[in-house]
Amino acid sequence: WLEGSTGSFCFAPVPLTLCQQTLYQGGDSLNSSSTLVSKNGLFTLGFTRVGSAESNASYLGIWYNNDRSHPFWLANRGKPIADNSGVLAIDGSGNMKLTYSGSDPVEFYSSQSSTTNITAILEDSGNFVLKDENSGSQLVLWQSFDFPTDTFLHGMKLGINHRTGQTWSLMSWLSDLAPIPPGAFTFSQRNFSIGIRCALNIKR
């Protein structure tokens, strides 16, 4: 292991794997040959292929370290990457986005003013959190728990924030090999009761 100013790196056969839990503004980036690992070692954030062995489609996701086959969170669920060109980074202005060839970037957070000390950390809960380290309380700017896919983890919410309009719900994968929405089932909270909506595909 090598302890550096921005985290820990583990030496392995090429490609080198990033073994820290934090992504730093203006320097670090995450690509197809690197991952973030939570401090407790339970969760991993990185690019992974989902589907058949012949598929080259990759997604930025979070998974349990012992089960990469079904990530519980996907950043680009509806926009799979066709190759290994995906890069996640926080630019010098404080914007966090996913870029890859052949399509527009996926923007997670766009800073309203120039900031210089933003970090994104994969927490021990499995939540990927973007924070402003300049604020005394380490203000949370964005978090993956606000955009769940098909899995509910401790610390997540289901429901509606009537003040901001933010909603939290789960939607099943289209199939075991296709995470793209819409899936057949949605799990959500409406009027203080939790219900499941099933979209039936009727074939002639």
Side-chain angles (χ1 to χ4, degrees), residues 21 37-44 65 122-126:
Q21 66 265 19
V37 179
S38 61
K39 188 176 181 180
N40 62 7
L42 185 59
F43 303 104
T44 298
N65 276 344
L122 180 60
E123 297 184 334
D124 287 342
S125 62

Side-chain angles (χ1 to χ4, degrees), residues 1-203:
W1 295 86
L2 173 63
E3 298 290 338
S5 60
T6 60
S8 302
F9 295 82
C10 63
F11 285 100
V14 176
L16 183 67
T17 300
L18 185 66
C19 292
Q20 63 187 49
Q21 66 265 19
T22 305
L23 193 67
Y24 294 86
Q25 179 181 0
D28 292 341
S29 63
L30 197 70
N31 56 40
S32 61
S33 62
S34 58
T35 58
L36 297 182
V37 179
S38 61
K39 188 176 181 180
N40 62 7
L42 185 59
F43 303 104
T44 298
L45 168 72
F47 291 93
T48 185
R49 288 189 172 90
V50 175
S52 64
E54 295 77 18
S55 174
N56 290 321
S58 67
Y59 300 84
L60 176 65
I62 303 174
W63 58 88
Y64 288 101
N65 276 344
N66 61 353
D67 184 11
R68 191 167 183 158
S69 63
H70 192 111
F72 61 81
W73 182 78
L74 292 170
N76 55 317
R77 188 178 187 184
K79 300 178 68 176
I81 303 170
D83 50 30
N84 293 325
S85 63
V87 175
L88 175 69
I90 308 169
D91 65 24
S93 298
N95 307 307
M96 186 171 73
K97 55 188 174 182
L98 168 63
T99 58
Y100 54 98
S101 63
S103 186
D104 295 330
V106 177
E107 294 190 358
F108 302 107
Y109 177 78
S110 180
S111 178
Q112 301 302 312
S113 60
S114 181
T115 54
T116 58
N117 195 16
I118 289 180
T119 61
I121 182 169
L122 180 60
E123 297 184 334
D124 287 342
S125 62
N127 193 14
F128 185 47
V129 181
L130 187 70
K131 294 182 178 180
D132 182 359
E133 300 289 348
N134 289 324
S135 65
S137 60
Q138 293 187 336
L139 178 67
V140 173
L141 304 173
W142 177 94
Q143 57 183 344
S144 63
F145 272 14
D146 279 338
F147 305 92
T149 51
D150 71 329
T151 304
F152 189 83
L153 297 180
H154 178 73
M156 284 184 172
K157 303 173 184 177
L158 284 178
I160 305 172
N161 184 325
H162 292 285
R163 181 177 61 85
T164 65
Q166 173 76 49
T167 62
W168 301 275
S169 62
L170 306 178
M171 181 177 289
S172 65
W173 286 21
L174 187 64
S175 72
D176 289 341
L177 300 179
I180 57 175
F185 298 94
T186 298
F187 189 76
S188 61
Q189 182 175 345
R190 295 290 184 270
N191 298 324
F192 303 102
S193 63
I194 295 178
I196 300 177
R197 185 182 75 246
C198 175
L200 298 178
N201 295 318
I202 302 175
K203 297 182 180 180

